[in-house]
Amino acid sequence: MSPPGFEGAAPLGVSTALLIKLRLRRLHNQMRAASQRKKKKDNDPKKAGEQATARRTGNPGKQGSNVVLYVFMPMMLFVFGSITRNAVFNLHETLDPGHFWRTVEFAAPFVVGLAFLLLVMWLSSLLLTIASGELAKPDWDLEWLVTLPIRAHTLLWARILERSVVNPTGFMALAPACTIIAWYSGHRWMAPVLGLMAAWPLLLLAALFRTLLDTGLRLRMSAAQLRNLHAVISVLAIVGMYLAMSLGMAGKATFMLGIAATMPDWLRWTPMGLAVLALNERDGLHACFLWAALAALTYAIVWLGIQWLHHQLRHGVVSGGGRDTARGAAAVAAPGSVPAVVPDAAPNYWSRIGAVQRRELTLLSRDRNFLVQCLVIPLLIVGGQLLLGSSGVATTMWHEPNVLASVAFGLAAYSLSMSAFQTLNTEGHALWLLYTFPRPIEAVLKDKAKLWSVLTLAYPLAMFCAGLFLMPQVGWKFATAAVTAFLGIPIYSFIAVALGVFGSNPLEQQQNQKVKPEYVYLYMGLAGLYIYAIVTPNVFQRIVFMVLSLLLAFALWQKARDRLPYLLDADVAPPARVSTSDGLIAAMVFFVVQGIVVAIGGLSGATILVAFSIAGAFTYSMMRYVYARARTEGVPRIVGERPQPLIGVIMGLAAAALGVVYLFLVRDTPLMDEAQRANNAYSQLGLWVLPLALIAAPIFEEFIFRGLIFGGLQRSFGLWPAALASAAVFACLHPPISMLPVFGLGLATAIAYARTGSLLAPMLAHATYNACVIGAQLLFK
Amino acid sequence: MIECQGLTRRYGDFTALKPLDLTVARGEMFGFLGPNGAGKTTTIRMLMGILVPSGGRALISGLDCQTQRAEVQRHVGYLPDNPMFYDFLRGREILQFVAEMHGLPRSEAAERTARMLAEFGLADVVDEFAVNYSMGMKKKLGLACALIHDPDVLILDEPINGLDPRAAREVQDRLTQAAASGKTIFMSTHLLDMAERVCTRVGIVHRGELVTTGTLAELRERVVPGGSLEEVFLRVTDEEVAPEAATT
């Protein structure tokens, strides 16, 4: 007797609803898991006397994913909205010039143009979604779902419905566009609602085509073909994205507008065109008719698609033998006599490359997807940015060596973010193998970093060779720009690998969760900072920044090394601690912001002082915010257990005494001109000097240089080396005249911090020093 | 040879492995038995330095598995319960890579690779990408990776699990051969007949705790006189009886 209620398949509506609920619940659980770890950390500091190792502190990085959602979503919506708005305006100018068009019925060519716009957005979002997923492997849950007693029909409908709802790229591409069209058709407050109503059928179509490709095609094509297809789609997706965006840019849209003008009239009867017409229609009855037509057409297309899919899947959802195979290649190469032993007569240079690097190169040559991602996509993206960017960088590149060097470095850095940053992800599930080798994992990662820095040098090399030919004059400037760019690449390769240790998730199944976005942004931000070093005309600043980057690479590498034993131990990672690398990043940001403010405001003494304060305030708030979010331990406190302000004052006076003596000695030298400028600054700023020099500067700078840099170094190196190093870094960031006394101040404040363990004493020392120096300079006037 | 001194592992409030004290002498073939979820794989991963112990430590040849991991791996060959290999690499290439990473020069690595692959019966699939292998072939390849550098200690997580009878027998024979030549073998399994046949000593874990350990004869005497290992195991890991009551 068959079990009660099991007549065969579950009814369509019920199963669809269940499947969608399942997906949404999974999504909900994912987001809750991320925020629950945050809540758990709330209780931890309150528990006294519990062993740190026994506490499951959770993975601090995972919290950040919510930030991406809540901060970047509105931003992206806004960005897409303005792009489409410009596109709409551009289209109108080209296709229907001169007529009044807002809130009235659009002219026919304009409707065709808008339909074209929607088509382009639809197509590029579809390509992007496919490119960012895995084409060659079936969806992780499909194999399991087909064993449930639901008909394939239901499964497919549910899959398409679910994909139409959970499609962030498509949503960004279509919803703002439809809303804008609705807005300019005269619907005011109803515009977002109508926009969503129009976008949803288009999203359904996108989901249909996506399913057609990844479930239907997968059965027909071999894995190798699918991977090639995926690589091609990745390339097309980027190109398509830029073409779509170019519609919205003034002056760059001519190409796409030309195409829009040639679009045939029947485009109006496609779902995109119907959506435009429906949004535009003000008359109630006509509007209902158009909405119904849109719904009917969409349903018809989806129905047809599902029939075809059903036909494709009639023999089963997952076909056998869908993996890349090496047999074909072997058979072609040497039938029957493939040598099992690698011939010893390999060229000598090949043997210099280590086993890890050879394996990496083999992977690169065989996995075309990886190759395209690392080497082709960066070229496309940077190329697209150049062509679409408004600053005309594409032309000045060939006149200004600094600009050329920045573009070359940017390209290399982007390529590194795809390759070196992902070194752990390329290990994937085979990461356990690394643990069985008698080599420290750190050594393996170093090999990889070296390999990628060599490979990525190819781009800047090519660009600079081209520059040699194309530039009007090749001289000292060219050489320094080239050297700065070339030296930056190995440094950033190591930085990328070190950050990748934190930012990647090698055991993760889903493609888009393999990388933690905030670490990518951090890496990109740091690379951007380096570009400042390339373009700055001041040689001294350039060198200082390069040295800072080098130090940062070391510091990050050290931090990553601490994390390496926990790679496969995801639940018990040590809690985030303040480290030297944080201090160095803060110092770099400080340096750059200060440089930028000075560049804007001119080189007077007043600007320098203000720049210091602004840079300090910005860096301080940024670090505090990041630490608060990540609940880092060991954040330097202002008032600790033994404040002892007197020590601070004493050290400050000592440093000030040194400073005054120095000023006295230097009185007759040309360096005094700078001091004169400082004097003018004080008279310009008037009373503002006092709070800036006595309150703002000490607070911010002490936090960064003593709290973070000195504190981090002290943990690894001991008091005196750390004090000297941190004082040196501190001194380098000041104008040349004050470097020596500032070095002394750095030492004094470091001692004060070490003695008291809190920031109050160093801050007082710094304030005292500043007061004395200002007073002395005023006296000397 | 292998020593666990109070080795512990906690996940938050949950204790996956209670403090474990265990010694495996040189040349022994030690079977680490237990029901699913008892903590066998956790112990093995801590021995390999993949997991960090919450307390205590593990030593192999007197070297700490966590802090001196790289040095330890010279003497150790490891086979995980579900070996996964790199995409896009042939079995032959993977084995050669492993050999070279263990410090063998290229020509010797190539020669050893060819020999081991022939011995393990993988000669006709060497040129296929390793990810396409069946479970049995993957285990064989994993075992080859574990043996290629001729280690003193073998740590195997469920070596026979998923193999067909012939392959299982071949692997068992290899392991016995290796033990006879003086290697120490630490093996976790839940296949009791193989453990009975092959192991010199066994330890049984239950719910994270090492409940009993000793040679087969000792265990039988202690727990179920005249009974088989299966009866001993079932008695010892009985859910209703408190673990301490099962041992003397």
Side-chain angles (χ1 to χ4, degrees):
Chain A
M1 217 164 70
S2 64
F6 188 155
E7 300 306 312
L12 173 65
V14 171
S15 351
T16 313
L18 283 175
L19 281 168
I20 294 190
K21 260 175 61 177
L22 184 72
R23 274 287 188 166
L24 289 177
R25 168 140 292 269
R26 181 174 170 271
L27 206 61
H28 178 242
N29 285 348
Q30 269 180 338
M31 303 179 81
R32 262 190 85 201
S35 58
Q36 239 175 19
R37 286 211 171 95
K38 240 189 339 185
K39 277 198 205 128
K40 228 182 166 166
K41 281 197 146 202
D42 268 328
N43 300 325
D44 284 350
K46 308 287 195 299
K47 284 189 189 154
E50 221 185 330
Q51 268 215 328
T53 46
R55 207 183 308 153
R56 180 174 176 169
T57 44
N59 215 333
K62 280 233 167 179
Q63 301 169 341
S65 41
N66 276 343
V67 173
V68 181
L69 200 62
Y70 296 136
V71 170
F72 282 98
M73 277 280 259
M75 242 176 65
M76 296 299 280
L77 275 173
F78 180 71
V79 167
F80 276 92
S82 56
I83 290 182
T84 37
R85 186 171 163 276
N86 290 341
V88 167
F89 276 108
N90 287 343
L91 279 167
H92 182 256
E93 292 211 355
T94 319
L95 300 171
D96 191 28
H99 300 145
F100 177 74
W101 59 285
R102 302 194 202 194
T103 75
V104 299
E105 199 176 315
F106 295 157
F110 190 36
V111 169
V112 173
L114 287 175
F116 175 68
L117 170 67
L118 283 182
L119 179 66
V120 167
M121 302 293 274
W122 180 85
L123 199 58
S124 54
S125 74
L126 175 66
L127 287 174
L128 275 172
T129 323
I130 295 179
S132 62
E134 286 262 2
L135 201 56
K137 294 194 196 117
D139 235 352
W140 56 275
D141 58 350
L142 199 60
E143 290 187 47
W144 166 62
L145 284 174
V146 290
T147 63
L148 294 174
I150 44 176
R151 293 181 301 162
H153 235 88
T154 317
L155 188 61
L156 293 169
W157 267 106
R159 169 100 346 159
I160 290 183
L161 276 169
E162 169 231 320
R163 274 182 172 174
S164 71
V165 171
V166 185
N167 183 359
T169 322
F171 182 79
M172 290 294 180
L174 292 169
C178 293
T179 313
I180 299 266
I181 295 179
W183 179 272
Y184 284 118
S185 303
H187 310 275
R188 290 295 157 187
W189 55 270
M190 279 285 279
V193 176
L194 287 176
L196 278 174
M197 266 176 69
W200 191 52
L202 300 180
L203 286 172
L204 268 175
L205 289 175
L208 172 70
F209 279 90
R210 186 175 155 210
T211 315
L212 280 176
L213 258 172
D214 69 17
T215 314
L217 264 188
R218 192 176 287 134
L219 293 173
R220 294 199 134 180
M221 302 170 66
S222 78
Q225 286 175 318
L226 278 173
R227 277 198 195 264
N228 287 341
L229 182 64
H230 192 192
V232 169
I233 289 185
S234 310
V235 171
L236 285 178
I238 306 284
V239 172
M241 181 177 81
Y242 278 120
L243 285 178
M245 275 168 49
S246 75
L247 261 178
M249 311 249 174
K252 308 273 177 169
T254 35
F255 176 65
M256 289 303 277
L257 288 175
I259 298 189
T262 62
M263 279 285 121
D265 204 42
W266 52 259
L267 211 59
R268 280 191 294 161
W269 305 116
T270 57
M272 289 83 188
L274 280 178
V276 175
L277 286 172
L279 284 171
N280 186 227
E281 187 58 55
R282 299 305 306 274
D283 176 26
L285 191 61
H286 270 142
C288 286
F289 174 67
L290 284 167
W291 283 111
L294 175 63
L297 185 57
T298 313
Y299 181 80
I301 298 181
V302 174
W303 186 85
L304 274 174
I306 290 198
Q307 295 309 105
W308 188 77
L309 264 177
H310 201 208
H311 174 79
Q312 278 290 315
L313 299 178
R314 67 188 183 281
H315 292 309
V317 168
V318 180
S319 74
R323 301 245 26 174
D324 291 277
T325 173
R327 284 198 197 274
V332 164
S337 62
V338 179
V341 178
V342 173
D344 229 40
N348 264 341
Y349 62 80
W350 191 239
S351 56
R352 280 193 183 281
I353 306 178
V356 179
Q357 293 158 337
R358 257 180 289 134
R359 191 207 74 196
E360 205 73 353
L361 285 172
T362 316
L363 265 175
L364 197 63
S365 66
R366 288 193 188 154
D367 190 352
R368 260 140 302 179
N369 223 351
F370 189 46
L371 188 69
V372 161
Q373 264 211 318
C374 290
L375 298 178
V376 176
I377 301 276
L379 196 59
L380 285 177
I381 290 198
V382 175
Q385 288 293 99
L386 286 183
L387 289 173
L388 283 189
S390 46
S391 45
V393 172
T395 41
T396 44
M397 214 164 66
W398 304 111
H399 300 284
E400 265 296 309
N402 281 343
V403 178
L404 180 63
S406 347
V407 172
F409 179 77
L411 189 56
Y414 194 87
S415 168
L416 282 174
S417 81
M418 297 273 148
S419 55
F421 190 81
Q422 309 250 18
T423 39
L424 281 186
N425 278 344
T426 49
E427 298 292 321
H429 283 269
L431 191 53
W432 65 271
L433 261 179
L434 283 190
Y435 281 85
T436 64
F437 301 139
R439 277 189 94 197
I441 299 187
E442 185 194 343
V444 172
L445 289 180
K446 266 197 206 155
D447 276 348
K448 288 208 196 191
K450 285 185 211 158
L451 174 73
W452 286 115
S453 59
V454 168
L455 282 180
T456 331
L457 277 174
Y459 275 139
L461 208 60
M463 288 181 76
F464 276 109
C465 285
L468 273 175
F469 286 121
L470 296 175
M471 287 232 191
Q473 33 157 277
V474 176
W476 185 239
K477 214 175 169 197
F478 185 83
T480 45
V483 166
T484 320
F486 283 135
L487 283 181
I489 290 175
I491 297 178
Y492 273 78
S493 175
F494 277 84
I495 291 183
V497 173
L499 282 178
V501 168
F502 293 98
S504 52
N505 234 341
L507 300 179
E508 180 60 57
Q509 292 272 23
Q510 294 201 297
Q511 184 72 352
N512 52 0
Q513 288 190 350
K514 281 191 169 174
V515 169
K516 295 188 193 133
E518 55 272 14
Y519 285 99
V520 185
Y521 298 138
L522 176 61
Y523 171 74
M524 298 294 218
L526 288 173
L529 289 183
Y530 193 80
I531 292 189
Y532 171 80
I534 297 181
V535 300
T536 183
N538 187 339
V539 176
F540 175 72
Q541 281 197 334
R542 193 183 283 238
I543 297 183
V544 164
F545 204 81
M546 280 167 68
V547 171
L548 271 182
S549 306
L550 191 59
L551 288 176
L552 178 65
F554 276 113
L556 277 176
W557 197 267
Q558 184 174 43
K559 204 169 171 178
R561 201 186 305 147
D562 291 335
R563 163 84 176 213
L564 284 177
Y566 296 91
L567 281 180
L568 283 177
D569 203 353
D571 296 316
V572 183
R577 283 204 66 104
V578 169
S579 62
T580 321
S581 53
D582 301 336
L584 283 172
I585 296 181
M588 284 164 87
V589 172
F590 181 89
F591 193 60
V592 168
V593 173
Q594 174 202 328
I596 291 178
V597 174
V598 167
I600 297 178
L603 206 54
S604 72
T607 333
I608 295 185
L609 193 55
V610 170
F612 257 71
S613 313
I614 292 182
F618 177 74
T619 317
Y620 180 78
S621 16
M622 183 186 85
M623 298 305 293
R624 276 272 171 199
Y625 174 72
V626 169
Y627 283 148
R629 272 206 67 87
R631 283 166 225 263
T632 323
E633 289 182 0
V635 179
R637 291 161 307 183
I638 297 188
V639 180
E641 291 147 0
R642 8 178 243 282
Q644 294 178 327
L646 202 58
I647 289 192
V649 177
I650 294 177
M651 305 275 23
L653 285 174
L658 263 161
V660 168
V661 169
Y662 173 80
L663 265 181
F664 195 73
L665 290 172
V666 130
R667 195 172 35 154
D668 296 320
T669 63
L671 287 174
M672 261 327 257
D673 296 333
E674 287 225 32
Q676 277 303 104
R677 252 185 278 157
N679 278 343
N680 296 340
Y682 302 141
S683 46
Q684 272 176 1
L685 287 175
L687 274 173
W688 274 111
V689 178
L690 288 174
L692 280 179
L694 297 182
I695 302 178
I699 294 182
F700 303 140
E701 292 179 9
E702 288 314 307
F703 179 77
I704 298 172
F705 292 97
R706 245 55 63 191
L708 299 182
I709 297 188
F710 173 68
L713 283 174
Q714 190 187 18
R715 252 187 311 139
S716 323
F717 295 116
L719 175 59
W720 280 109
L724 287 168
S726 65
V729 174
F730 186 46
C732 286
L733 295 181
H734 281 77
I737 176 186
S738 39
M739 269 175 44
L740 214 51
V742 165
F743 183 78
L745 174 65
L747 282 177
T749 45
I751 298 175
Y753 183 65
R755 274 301 189 77
T756 61
S758 60
L759 287 174
L760 183 63
M763 285 183 189
L764 280 176
H766 199 145
T768 321
Y769 172 89
N770 277 356
C772 296
V773 166
I774 293 177
Q777 282 183 323
L778 286 175
L779 279 179
F780 267 124
K781 212 166 58 168
Chain B
M1 208 61 182
I2 301 178
E3 243 186 276
C4 300
Q5 298 170 344
L7 196 62
T8 318
R9 173 72 189 190
R10 281 184 286 268
Y11 290 98
D13 293 328
F14 171 65
T15 307
L17 189 71
K18 303 204 177 97
L20 176 73
D21 286 295
L22 186 63
T23 313
V24 178
R26 201 192 142 92
E28 246 185 357
M29 199 136 145
F30 189 83
F32 202 48
L33 313 174
N36 290 334
K40 308 195 293 290
T41 304
T42 309
T43 311
I44 288 190
R45 289 176 136 201
M46 283 197 277
L47 282 175
M48 290 302 296
I50 294 178
L51 290 182
V52 178
S54 310
R57 57 187 196 150
L59 301 169
I60 296 187
S61 300
L63 301 163
D64 189 316
C65 293
Q66 175 61 33
T67 53
Q68 295 165 290
R69 187 196 61 84
E71 190 51 45
V72 166
Q73 301 308 352
R74 269 185 232 288
H75 311 286
V76 176
Y78 172 56
L79 174 65
D81 53 355
N82 191 11
M84 304 199 77
F85 295 105
Y86 298 110
D87 236 339
F88 287 106
L89 283 180
R90 305 190 167 100
R92 164 171 51 86
E93 293 164 348
I94 290 180
L95 192 53
Q96 181 148 3
F97 171 67
V98 170
E100 286 180 29
M101 288 296 277
H102 276 288
L104 295 172
R106 287 240 277 157
S107 45
E108 193 183 339
E111 180 249 318
R112 272 208 207 184
T113 303
R115 189 165 34 97
M116 292 226 86
L117 288 173
E119 266 179 37
F120 275 81
L122 290 171
D124 43 344
V125 289
V126 285
D127 281 316
E128 181 58 64
F129 287 154
V131 286
N132 291 346
Y133 287 2
S134 68
M135 181 57 141
M137 289 194 271
K138 278 192 192 158
K139 287 241 176 188
K140 283 193 195 168
L141 182 62
L143 197 55
C145 288
L147 287 170
I148 190 134
H149 58 288
D150 209 18
D152 301 321
V153 179
L154 279 178
I155 298 187
L156 313 167
D157 202 347
E158 311 266 4
I160 310 288
N161 198 12
L163 295 182
D164 65 67
R166 178 164 302 278
R169 173 56 73 92
E170 284 171 10
V171 167
Q172 283 182 46
D173 288 339
R174 277 229 71 139
L175 292 180
T176 326
Q177 216 177 45
S181 62
K183 298 201 206 291
T184 313
I185 302 187
F186 183 95
M187 184 166 60
S188 91
T189 180
H190 57 254
L191 296 171
L192 298 174
D193 48 354
M194 176 197 127
E196 208 160 11
R197 236 187 324 215
V198 150
C199 297
T200 54
R201 265 178 80 214
V202 297
I204 303 184
V205 275
H206 182 45
R207 288 198 199 138
E209 200 171 348
L210 184 66
V211 177
T212 177
T213 174
T215 65
L216 287 162
E218 287 171 12
L219 279 181
R220 283 198 205 110
E221 219 180 276
R222 210 187 301 157
V223 181
V224 179
S228 71
L229 182 58
E230 185 184 6
E231 288 166 12
V232 171
F233 184 89
L234 288 174
R235 170 72 68 88
V236 158
T237 60
D238 199 335
E239 291 286 325
E240 283 145 29
V241 177
E244 301 86 62
T247 63
T248 47

